[in-house]
Amino acid sequence: MISTGGEEQTSAYIRSAGTPNLVSRLSGALPTECVCYLPAFRRIIVAMFGLLVALTVLAVCLYFKWSCSYWTRVGNVAGPKPLPIFGNLLEQLTGQKHFGEIFEEMYRSFPQASWVGYYKFSNQPGVVVRDLELVREVLTSSFSSFNQNDFQIDETIDPLLACNPFVQTGDRWKERRNQMTSVFTMNRIRATFPLVQQVADDFVQFIQRTRRVDAHFEGKDICAKYTVNVVASIAFGIDAESFTNPDAEFVRMGNALFAPTWLTAIRSQLALFAPGVAKLLRVPFVPGYVDRWFRSMVNETIRQRKTTKRQDMFQAMYDNLSENGKVEVDINELTGHSVTFLSEGFETSSTMMSYLLFELAANPTIQERVAQEVREVLKESEGQLTEPGLHKLVYLEAAMMETLRMHTPVFTLPRICTKDFELPPQFPNDTKRVTLRKGTSVIIPVYAIHNDPEIYPKPYVFDPERFSEENRKSRPRHAFLGFGEGPRLCLAMDGDRLTQLPMARIRTVMKTSPDMGNINAEALFLMCRAAEMFIEHMAKGAYQKGSKTLEYKDLARFVESEDNLEFLQQILPNKITVKEYKAMMEKKPDTDDDTETEDEDESDAEQEEDDDDVEIVDVTAKEKAAPAADSEDSASDSGESNSVISIDSSSDEKENSKNVSNKKSPVKHKAGEN
């Protein structure tokens, strides 16, 4: 029992509490009976703290174990075994492997799968797509479900990079991309050809000067000098001085964005795989001094353009954003698009050029063929490379495409599922479908697809013939993703190279409406792709497995079976034979049966067997007037009967019966001839 004096001492201590050693002060203030319990009290506190730590660790471990079982829980999805916290990307974090190699291993480990389940950092589930049909679905057909890139940037930390369409989503993406595509029109690109040619001439002179000093040079370095000079000239009207000044600012700023340093690697890792950590640490992708330099450069360029205009990309962007000087330009937007000009045209182009030089040096026969093609084109234009001559360098273009296949600067196309999407069965004999939830990462493994021996035999052999016109058509469209695909494809790609249909013809068709105004280049391209996709959908849906030929009856049957193709039933009506038509008419009352003569009945009986293969096409009143020869050709082409009888579906049964009777003789005669 505690005495009153002890209580007074304890109260006095409590009033003066504030010294760090609470327990020791208490032990000095409390009587002997209480002090003896303090060691036990300490042990209880330590034990409770230890238990709390143990429970926390256990809860974290159980959480990560549970999160690592996501694909098992949703349906025993096949995929590589993950590690807690790091998922399947530990080797990427430690620098042992590039993420492109990691996804290639996943791609090769499940050769029969359409897609593979994997785990990102923090065990977030994701999907690696293998099947090219599913690749097409993600990038093009179901773009609305995958319209966001899995590369997240905080606009408050990276305001300049946030202007790049690559990192934008939804309406912001459409707005940013339209701003850029309005600049990359064919007329504006064509106008920059003399500027590029001037830089190319300077490039040749630079190589000649360099080789006088040393015959050896670093391919990536000289290619980077060339591409940064081209971007500076055609985008900003600036001489980057990369050929004359080793410490040129423009070159230093470009290298600061892409130079392979530890800082660049950390920024890229955080932006790709841990955007939440990047936001928490406020780590910008664009360094602060690069941000300030670009703003200063853009402000100076604007000041100069107020007195002197220049036909380049910067001027086009400035006029577009300012509505030709009517409104004030947002300096963040203009500077951000300037960074996009550099990022899109500098690093990827120089990387491709350096690898192309390497492959040509390693393959002298191919190098000689490329050089011979260039000589022939230059000879035709008296030693000057012109724009029409540039389009004649077919083999050089094939060599460039093969370089992009083997050494793609884009190892993956990362997407995010923006609304729930039902995946196809993972394996051919599987019927189980898994729903991909909103927010799930979807990886298109470009590097793995480009090196798949099933698509490209001997994938590690440099062979430009893979990209001949014939070989391109023999492969699925999405087997080459060097420029991306779908609405998010490379900004400056020539649309005619990406579509099978002639864009000029599609534009003419779209312009047939008198109310149609100007047609945006992106809208035209997407319309061409939509038309191609519709044709592909019709052909695949109508084609019968085991058949060698796609016939008229296949298309008509498919149109009839699909409710959403009802608008085509007037163009592709289903055909029936005369015998089938007669059977159909017999089921209905016919008031004119008594007026039929006995001779007509006998004639019908004689012709019944011959007419079994004759088809009747249900057509509209407009088609009723078409020549009989056209109908016969249509039937002949489809491999069905030799003649076709056209019947207006809007006529009554009496008129139908008379029409058939009046046409029986010609039909029998033509069938006999054939």
Side-chain angles (χ1 to χ4, degrees), residues 109-129:
S109 298
F110 301 89
Q112 300 300 319
S114 296
W115 51 274
V116 178
Y118 84 103
Y119 295 89
K120 299 171 61 177
F121 291 127
S122 301
N123 298 123
Q124 295 298 314
V127 166
V128 178
V129 179

Side-chain angles (χ1 to χ4, degrees), residues 60-96:
V60 171
C61 291
L62 290 175
Y63 168 75
F64 281 113
K65 182 177 177 61
W66 176 80
S67 62
C68 284
S69 65
Y70 174 82
W71 288 121
T72 303
R73 286 183 282 112
V74 299
N76 289 321
V77 172
K81 188 176 180 180
L83 293 173
I85 301 176
F86 304 106
N88 299 115
L89 301 177
L90 177 61
E91 292 172 310
Q92 161 70 13
L93 184 65
T94 59
Q96 293 176 286

Side-chain angles (χ1 to χ4, degrees), residues 71 451 619:
W71 288 121
N451 290 281
V619 296

Side-chain angles (χ1 to χ4, degrees), residues 519-544:
I519 300 175
N520 179 275
E522 184 179 21
L524 176 61
F525 168 74
L526 293 177
M527 184 63 73
C528 290
R529 287 294 296 124
E532 289 180 4
M533 290 168 59
F534 179 73
I535 294 172
E536 292 174 8
H537 173 72
M538 283 282 295
K540 290 179 181 179
Y543 180 71
Q544 299 292 319

Side-chain angles (χ1 to χ4, degrees), residues 642-662:
N642 296 323
S643 301
V644 176
I645 299 177
S646 298
I647 297 180
D648 184 1
S649 59
S650 61
S651 301
D652 58 24
E653 296 169 7
K654 181 190 299 184
E655 291 298 318
N656 285 340
S657 179
K658 292 181 179 179
N659 286 339
V660 173
S661 299
N662 292 335

